[in-house]
Amino acid sequence: WTFQASDQLKSSPVIHNNRIVIADTGGMVYCLDGQGRKIWTYAAGNSIEAPALILENTVYIGDLSGTLYALSLADGSLRWKYEADNQIMGAPNWWTDGRQTRLLVGSYDFYLHCLDAGTGRLIWQYEASNYLHATVGIAGNMAVFGGCDGLLHVVDIVSGRGLRAVEL
């Protein structure tokens, strides 16, 4: 099967329970079934170039205006949105301690943003010296990411404190 989006597809598709989520540079988020039939669409505010994260029946996806959206996987309805101060070019990632779940997403505003996954409330921000372009890696209680500052940053997810920055 094929699917015709409204604009270019730069993000990778993400699949969960026979649902395929993909977004385009026109700012449209699509949810398709396994046969390519559209289940829902959501019009974001700007171009989307990074893949979504699907977690606990929620689609988390960022756009180039710096907005991170939390959408229902079932029907595409907006659960919440969070505004960073510049574009989001990497997919969000997640961490949990079993009681709370946090999202981590970098932005061109030089910050790694840590949010409550259920509400979108900001928990902390960690400032780098330049753009954050890529998806954050998670290892235990640490977030690991490279920035356009040429450093590999290691940040404690619980506190938001920088543990080390290694020159690449």
Side-chain angles (χ1 to χ4, degrees):
W1 54 264
T2 61
F3 176 77
Q4 181 64 51
S6 68
D7 214 326
Q8 295 178 6
L9 299 173
K10 290 189 176 180
S11 69
S12 299
V14 180
I15 302 170
H16 179 74
N17 288 342
N18 202 37
R19 299 262 173 133
I20 303 164
V21 176
I22 186 79
D24 67 25
T25 57
M28 297 301 295
V29 182
Y30 305 97
C31 181
L32 313 174
D33 68 15
Q35 288 73 46
R37 293 182 296 254
K38 187 169 45 174
I39 298 170
W40 55 259
T41 60
Y42 181 84
N46 206 312
S47 177
I48 298 172
E49 297 188 9
L53 165 68
I54 300 174
L55 178 66
E56 297 175 357
N57 294 312
T58 301
V59 176
Y60 300 98
I61 195 163
D63 71 14
L64 296 191
S65 71
T67 304
L68 182 69
Y69 300 89
L71 308 173
S72 165
L73 181 59
D75 63 11
S77 59
L78 179 67
R79 293 187 171 164
W80 55 259
K81 64 182 177 178
Y82 171 81
E83 302 286 338
D85 287 330
N86 209 326
Q87 60 193 25
I88 295 173
M89 294 288 293
N93 205 344
W94 65 279
W95 170 89
T96 187
D97 65 1
R99 296 183 321 274
Q100 59 179 324
T101 302
R102 295 180 176 188
L103 299 176
L104 297 133
V105 66
S107 171
Y108 269 44
D109 63 6
F110 298 9
Y111 284 100
L112 176 64
H113 301 260
C114 178
L115 310 172
D116 179 281
T119 66
R121 181 184 60 81
L122 178 66
I123 298 170
W124 53 256
Q125 291 177 318
Y126 170 84
E127 186 174 11
S129 305
N130 208 319
Y131 304 130
L132 302 182
H133 186 81
T135 301
V136 176
I138 306 292
N141 288 343
M142 295 178 295
V144 181
F145 60 94
C148 291
D149 57 7
L151 299 173
L152 182 67
H153 297 267
V154 181
V155 177
D156 179 87
I157 295 172
V158 176
S159 68
R161 186 175 54 86
L163 301 175
R164 65 185 71 84
V166 179
E167 193 168 336
L168 300 176

